[in-house]
Amino acid sequence: MKILMTGGAGYLGSILTPTLLAQSHEVTVLDNFYFHPNSLLDCCQYEKFQVVRGDCREESVVKPLLARADLIIPLAALVGVPLCNTDAIATRTTNQDAVEMLCRMAGKQQRIIIPVTNSGYGIGEKGKFCTEETPLRPISTYGVTKVKAEEAVLARENSISFRLATVFGMSPRMRIDLLVNDFVYRAVHDRAVLVFEGHFKRNYIHVRDVARVFMHGMANFDKMKGRAYNVGLDDANLSKLELCAVIKKYLPKFVFVEAPIGEDPDKRDYIVSNARLAGTGFKPEWSLDRGIQELIKGFTILRNSIYSNI
Ligand SMILES: NC(=O)c1ccc[n+]([C@@H]2O[C@H](COP(=O)([O-])OP(=O)(O)OC[C@H]3O[C@@H](n4cnc5c(N)ncnc54)[C@H](O)[C@@H]3O)[C@@H](O)[C@H]2O)c1
């Protein structure tokens, strides 16, 4: 397939792009390289890889790229509540308006697969699994714009939305602001974490399983189109304190303490059912344990220490 991926240099895109190229798809990445990453350098060897430095909000940039695409994967976004809170206008124009523009400009036959966040489920009902039928009630600008983007995509034909759990795992464009990655990073380098809202439950999915779910959506498109799917690990609907306990299995000196030091701006406390996706034949390959062991190796290599002698 000929694929146009916006934001392909990011955390998810820099795993998904080489995965698609290795399967002989033609991939054009449009990214403004906001984080100055070198994440796609290894993709340049592929003849079927094209890269455009530009803004996904610019119609004149997107239009000619869109004309050639069978499938569009809009990843470009300001991701996460703290970043979105620094610039509400950039958040809305990138996360929502640019996706709505893609939907207006794409032909009916062109396919779209978009990832959104399941943080829109907000505070779940105790002990009750959120399904795709559970109302989305996002609170933050990040959550609201992602829900609006999903609405625009699912209002057209030939689209799939994946509602991702909190993603974890190593990627060439690494993010240590994601919960599991953050806790493992601190466990490796600080040996301690102060946890707020420790009993709030979240769910998780490995970045390579996210790449796999996109491939699964492409392979089963006709069967899956027109719907949203929760994407997470069934056996990892865990509270933050339970997550810390899993990390401690691999780093026994890790200490975690609960403290009233903050609150989640999206009030995420929910358990999620992934049954709809499982019903299409998808099975994740990366458990939380396997991902944590991968992250420990990764953070042995990476550390943020530009102003320190060690
Ligand atoms: N990582 C997660 O846990 C998670 C969970 C749910 C959904 N998602 C969604 O997946 C997508 C990718 O997330 P990620 O974790 O890879 O984030 P990321 O921040 O690593 O990547 C986003 C990419 O978009 C690019 N970008 C930003 N603004 C742009 C613009 N105006 N024009 C062109 N490119 C632009 C950035 O340069 C970056 O490469 C996002 O849509 C996000 O909402 C991620």
Side-chain angles (χ1 to χ4, degrees), residues 10-12 31-32 34 55-56 75 142 146 167 173 175:
Y11 177 69
L12 301 187
D31 202 297
N32 63 2
Y34 188 76
D55 197 311
C56 67
L75 301 183
Y142 175 60
K146 293 300 293 183
V167 185
R173 136 71 181 151
R175 286 187 54 195

Side-chain angles (χ1 to χ4, degrees), residues 66 70-74 99 102-104 106-107 109-114 152-154 156-161 214 221 225:
L66 192 64
D70 306 313
L71 168 67
I72 305 140
I73 302 181
V99 174
L102 276 176
C103 293
R104 273 196 309 277
Q109 293 316 310
Q110 287 178 300
R111 299 173 171 195
I112 300 184
I113 307 183
I114 190 169
V153 166
L154 290 182
R156 69 182 292 282
E157 285 171 44
N158 286 320
S159 297
I160 294 174
S161 172
F214 274 86
F221 195 83
K225 67 183 178 183

